[in-house]
Amino acid sequence: EPEVTQTPSHQVTQMGQEVILRCVPISNHLYFYWYRQILGQKVEFLVSFYNNEISEKSEIFDDQFSVERPDGSNFTLKIRSTKLEDSAMYFCASSGDRGGTEAFFGQGTRLTVV
Amino acid sequence: GENVEQHPSTLSVQEGDSAVIKCTYSDSASNYFPWYKQELGKRPQLIIDIRSNVGEKKDQRIAVTLNKTAKHFSLHITETQPEDSAVYFCAASLFAGNQFYFGTGTSLTVIP
């Protein structure tokens, strides 16, 4: 069964450093998402991406965040200058269509900012 | 924007009993309601979903009900088994939108 894959599984970074989280969505999917989950809290939407541009973003997704689809397979989330409060599990997801269809989640990248 | 609330936050049941998790949503325009199961350290996985033109959907031991008027939907698990132990998240979204608004999660423990 096709899966969304994320790398790395765990990233530790110093406050103020830039990190790039990588995702390979399911190959025929068109819609891509990043969510985050702070330990013990709900899954929160960050951004959705379609047709090579951001289609929706939340208030969490401020200027320090950016997304990119640099080639036909990867989808990346960049955090420019990490803060302690960015520590969370980051999930990438993809779906074959707009809302009303299943979103498939990757296994997550646990980001720890120290 | 949409606000999804989920109750209870933790739930323990004896094996074989039923479990019910309830969610409410605020945006009457929401029309797609998936339920995700997240086992410890693993990704959320869809277990069942319902669209607003349907009041109930069942898949073996799992069922979901939707009350559009009251803006709430519930997950029902019957004949629970230890492998049902996980965190369950409800979510709401729009057909025309493409983000999911998640509930806060329910940690279900099935006691053998």
Side-chain angles (χ1 to χ4, degrees):
Chain A
E1 187 177 329
E3 282 187 341
V4 176
T5 57
Q6 289 183 243
T7 54
S9 56
H10 191 189
Q11 172 100 42
V12 180
T13 189
Q14 291 213 319
M15 193 168 55
Q17 295 297 303
E18 174 183 286
V19 293
I20 298 176
L21 310 183
R22 301 179 194 280
C23 170
V24 179
I26 293 174
S27 62
N28 61 346
H29 282 183
L30 302 175
Y31 296 86
F32 314 114
Y33 315 86
W34 282 100
Y35 288 84
R36 79 169 186 194
Q37 185 178 28
I38 295 171
L39 189 63
Q41 297 185 25
K42 72 165 77 177
V43 178
E44 299 175 292
F45 171 76
L46 293 178
V47 66
S48 60
F49 192 85
Y50 170 69
N51 201 27
N52 284 320
E53 60 183 23
I54 291 172
S55 46
E56 285 184 72
K57 61 181 181 178
S58 71
E59 58 272 15
I60 302 169
F61 194 86
D62 60 23
D63 291 344
Q64 69 161 344
F65 291 92
S66 62
V67 289
E68 197 176 33
R69 188 151 161 83
D71 52 44
S73 59
N74 290 286
F75 179 51
T76 61
L77 174 70
K78 183 192 287 186
I79 310 175
R80 264 181 268 284
S81 177
T82 50
K83 303 190 265 260
L84 294 176
E85 53 265 36
D86 293 327
S87 296
M89 180 72 91
Y90 287 81
F91 289 104
C92 172
S94 69
S95 65
D97 204 345
R98 303 194 78 172
T101 60
E102 179 178 358
F104 292 81
F105 283 79
Q107 78 279 21
T109 293
R110 179 163 297 286
L111 176 66
T112 303
V113 182
V114 296
Chain B
E2 174 67 279
N3 181 44
V4 177
E5 297 192 353
Q6 184 172 346
H7 301 280
S9 56
T10 59
L11 180 59
S12 291
V13 298
Q14 290 288 334
E15 183 177 358
D17 287 352
S18 295
V20 181
I21 303 170
K22 298 182 180 182
C23 288
T24 61
Y25 60 99
S26 61
D27 189 347
S28 56
S30 290
N31 48 21
Y32 174 65
F33 307 94
W35 285 89
Y36 282 83
K37 176 183 180 182
Q38 186 179 24
E39 295 176 26
L40 191 63
K42 296 190 177 178
R43 72 191 75 195
Q45 290 196 298
L46 181 77
I47 55 170
I48 196 167
D49 57 14
I50 192 167
R51 290 172 173 77
S52 60
N53 57 345
V54 175
E56 183 173 356
K57 184 177 177 180
K58 191 171 181 180
D59 182 4
Q60 299 181 350
R61 296 186 297 107
I62 296 171
V64 57
T65 58
L66 171 65
N67 183 327
K68 284 195 303 181
T69 304
K71 296 204 282 282
H72 66 70
F73 56 112
S74 300
L75 178 72
H76 305 251
I77 307 173
T78 58
E79 299 169 33
T80 52
Q81 299 165 5
E83 51 265 38
D84 294 330
S85 297
V87 178
Y88 292 81
F89 291 95
C90 63
S93 79
L94 293 166
F95 275 4
N98 51 22
Q99 68 165 290
F100 293 91
Y101 297 88
F102 282 87
T104 46
T106 296
S107 177
L108 173 65
T109 302
V110 179
I111 303 163

